[in-house]
Structure formats: C-alpha cells, structure tokens
Amino acid sequence: MRAALALGSIAIQLAKLHGCKVFTTVSSSKYDYVKQLAPDAIINYQTEDVDKKLADLTDGLGVDLIIDTVGKKEAELDLRRLAYN
C-alpha cells in the first residue's frame, strides 16, 4: 500500500490497532511521515526491490493482504506478492 495517501494511512492505523503485522511501500519524500504511523516495515519502492524485501520479510511466503491504491500495473505485480496457502 502507498502509505502516504489517506487511505493507506488509515489502513495502517486500523491494521495495527487489530494486531496485524504491517509492511508498506513509500517514496523517499514520504518516508518520515509514514515512519510516524509505526508500520512493522517500510519499503522505499524508489531505492529497494519490493519483491525481494517482501520475500525476506515473509521468509518467501508472501503477504496475506495487499491494499493497492495505485492501480492496474502495481496490482498485477501485487499478485505475485500474495501468499497462497
């Protein structure tokens, strides 16, 4: 999720409130803002490989839920980031 957007910010806060582990992507310019929301991991999509970082964070299993506020191109990439158990 792109946490600097309003929807992403709300989603992070609600997920943390309910005890979920939250990983989020962010641009360099929004990093400090997102850090205040206290996600478990912040991935800078401009400087880091999102797929590799998520694989590292999940021991290669993928994530259970993705909230994508970007659109089709990113949504297609997100499909391979999901856990299929």
Side-chain angles (χ1 to χ4, degrees):
M1 104 182 55
R2 306 279 184 208
L5 299 174
L7 178 60
S9 298
I10 292 167
I12 288 172
Q13 293 173 70
L14 287 173
K16 294 300 290 181
L17 179 68
H18 291 282
C20 298
K21 188 175 280 192
V22 176
F23 308 141
T24 189
T25 58
V26 66
S27 66
S28 299
S29 64
K30 303 296 183 187
Y31 186 92
D32 290 336
Y33 169 75
V34 172
K35 188 174 180 180
Q36 295 175 35
L37 300 173
D40 294 280
I42 303 172
I43 304 167
N44 184 331
Y45 64 85
Q46 295 174 321
T47 62
E48 297 179 87
D49 181 327
V50 175
D51 291 329
K52 181 179 180 337
K53 187 71 173 187
L54 284 174
D56 291 346
L57 290 165
T58 63
D59 296 322
L61 297 175
V63 297
D64 294 323
L65 173 69
I66 295 175
I67 298 172
D68 179 1
T69 60
V70 177
K72 182 182 181 208
K73 182 181 176 192
E74 197 65 27
E76 290 172 352
L77 295 173
D78 286 340
L79 290 175
R80 68 176 181 228
R81 298 169 179 153
L82 288 169
Y84 294 96
N85 342 350

